[in-house]
Amino acid sequence: MRADRSAADVPRTTDVVVTGMGATTPLGGDVPSTWSALLAGESGISTLEAPWADQLSVRIAGALRKDPADVVAPVQRRRLDRSQEAALIAAREAWADAGSPDVDPVRLAVVVGTGIGGAGTMLDQDDRLEELGPRLLSPFTIPRLMPNGAAAVVSLELGARAGTHAPTSACASGAEALAVGAMLIRAGRADVVVAGGTDACLHPLFIGGFARMGALSTRNETPELASRPFDRDRDGFVMAEGAGVVVLERAEFARARGVRPRALLAGAGITSDAYDMTMPDVEGQIRAIAEALRDADLTPEDITHVNTHATGTPTGDLIEADALRRAVGTHPLVTATKSATGHLLGAAGSVEAIFTVLSLEHAVIPAIRNLDEAAPGVELDLVTGQPRQASPTAALSTSFGFGGHNVVLSFTKP
């Protein structure tokens, strides 16, 4: 059913619920297959087979398990960057999972973030420009490379007219999209928001650029062992591609149409470090965690599970572990799912938010793959070996990005 409400009618304390989820990742082409592979301890990381990979010091990555060409029609693919295809696939799954809400288009918004966006298209078309000249550029070059392109594609697909937004906050983009979506609903700007993140840039420029920073693992001979968050022998993150999208709804709207919420997006904390372009600041992360707790009216003792940002970089993991210990304590069960998926950049935050919701639903915490021995200084209850059966009631999902972007989401059972 539709609900006619104006912004002035909706109180600030409006609850926001998750009613649908969709994803395509290196572990699976949808949420169920990705979740099953994660719990089974599979790795989405493999050797890059492209000819250009031989020139790089890093030759491993997490490619999409299911080729978008198997899902998106050829005519539509001509118009889309790979990151936009991934976002569209995830959004379609999330929308169907939510039961295709019958919502007035002017009360439906889209927020899809990206860290790098359609830069792969830009580079490919630049090569074409050099080889063939401007007359043979694709007429879809600009729409495919725009950083807001994925958000626009999803809004066109669903006919959303309450606003289309595209946060670009590096590896916090997907999480920030969910935070912005919740704000839109709480502010009375929308009843339903389709929110998430996407990135697909397994290209020599990006892999080579991150490698030159010393940010990537160089375990080329054992790709499945390369992503090692919190492990003593971690040596950097592994680039990956994917998308994760959720459907957020005003709780009263979801209740009125008879849908069962999958989780409550209870709060969000957004802070910035203003400290360094690439080095995270523990104080900024602590403030983001505290803000997410305050926004959700939760205490540190309430938090029973954390899906961490933890990429596997030597410095970043230690700073996050310190932030969690100081802001929440050492009692929550902690996982780090990038150990299986790799780092999905702009999609990481939304895919990990989906994992957090699934942990609440299924009462199980995925194990951290490749964690043989925790690094000194990581004083957390890390889930290792096998998934741990538990009944988390309140959980956090943390995301941090280059540029000092900190986003923490808090979820509770509905």
Side-chain angles (χ1 to χ4, degrees):
M1 66 176 294
R2 291 185 176 178
D4 295 322
R5 291 173 69 91
S6 67
D9 294 329
V10 182
R12 170 67 178 79
T13 54
T14 298
D15 283 341
V16 178
V17 295
V18 178
T19 58
M21 302 191 293
T24 182
T25 75
L27 291 175
D30 54 21
V31 169
S33 59
T34 294
W35 180 241
S36 295
L38 179 66
L39 293 181
E42 295 181 17
S43 172
I45 311 304
S46 59
T47 300
L48 285 165
E49 302 295 341
W52 48 257
D54 292 339
Q55 306 171 24
L56 302 175
S57 61
V58 173
R59 298 183 292 279
I60 56 176
L64 289 174
R65 178 69 63 94
K66 189 175 182 62
D67 190 337
D70 295 340
V71 182
V72 181
V75 172
Q76 194 167 23
R77 292 196 73 217
R78 291 180 58 240
R79 301 170 180 267
L80 302 178
D81 180 78
R82 187 174 173 91
S83 63
Q84 297 167 356
E85 294 173 354
L88 186 61
I89 291 167
R92 286 173 174 171
E93 183 189 2
W95 191 252
D97 185 48
S100 303
D102 182 14
V103 57
D104 188 330
V106 299
R107 301 291 296 162
L108 171 63
V110 168
V111 190
V112 177
T114 180
I116 296 178
T121 287
M122 182 171 66
L123 294 166
D124 291 343
Q125 290 301 308
D126 185 63
D127 290 343
R128 191 173 179 86
L129 176 67
E130 295 293 329
E131 294 171 10
L132 304 173
R135 293 178 61 84
L136 291 180
L137 286 173
S138 166
F140 306 112
T141 297
I142 302 303
R144 287 169 56 180
L145 65 81
M146 298 188 309
N148 61 319
V153 166
V154 173
S155 72
L156 287 166
E157 173 89 359
L158 300 175
R161 294 178 178 171
T164 299
H165 309 264
T168 303
S169 45
C171 305
S173 301
E176 184 162 342
L178 270 64
V180 171
M183 291 181 198
L184 291 171
I185 292 174
R186 284 176 163 186
R189 307 288 298 182
D191 290 320
V192 180
V193 179
V194 177
T198 186
D199 256 322
C201 49
L202 300 185
H203 184 282
L205 178 67
F206 304 112
I207 294 176
F210 279 119
R212 284 286 292 155
M213 296 175 67
L216 300 184
S217 171
T218 58
R219 292 175 184 263
N220 292 317
E221 304 307 315
T222 52
E224 71 281 0
L225 302 180
S227 189
R228 313 178 67 85
F230 296 130
D231 186 73
R232 176 189 288 270
D233 294 329
R234 68 195 183 285
D235 67 334
F237 72 82
V238 180
M239 278 189 63
E241 59 182 358
V245 173
V246 305
V247 175
L248 303 175
E249 292 189 48
R250 183 165 55 82
E252 294 91 337
F253 186 90
R255 191 178 302 118
R257 70 184 187 90
V259 67
R260 185 182 69 84
R262 303 189 67 166
L264 177 69
L265 177 50
I270 301 177
T271 67
S272 52
D273 291 343
Y275 173 72
D276 187 89
M277 185 59 77
T278 57
M279 179 69 73
D281 178 24
V282 68
E283 299 301 331
Q285 296 186 6
I286 290 172
R287 288 189 296 110
I289 294 169
E291 179 65 18
L293 294 175
R294 186 204 62 75
D295 194 38
D297 196 23
L298 295 169
T299 68
E301 291 73 25
D302 292 326
I303 300 303
T304 48
H305 166 50
V306 181
N307 190 314
T308 56
H309 180 68
T311 64
T313 58
T315 301
D317 286 11
L318 289 180
I319 290 175
E320 181 174 9
D322 188 30
L324 287 172
R325 179 184 59 79
R326 291 167 58 186
V328 181
T330 59
H331 62 279
L333 299 177
V334 171
T335 192
T337 48
K338 288 186 181 72
S339 58
T341 63
H343 192 344
L344 302 171
L345 305 184
S350 53
V351 169
E352 288 155 18
I354 290 170
F355 291 153
T356 307
V357 171
L358 291 168
S359 285
L360 289 171
E361 275 190 335
H362 297 286
V364 60
I365 313 298
I368 304 173
R369 184 183 166 84
N370 301 325
L371 180 51
D372 296 329
E373 181 178 358
V378 179
E379 300 170 5
L380 302 171
D381 189 354
L382 303 170
V383 178
T384 62
Q386 298 295 321
R388 196 180 302 183
Q389 298 297 319
S391 297
T393 53
L396 300 179
S397 181
T398 59
S399 296
F400 310 116
F402 281 173
H405 303 275
N406 307 307
V407 181
V408 178
L409 305 173
S410 56
F411 294 94
T412 59
K413 286 190 171 183

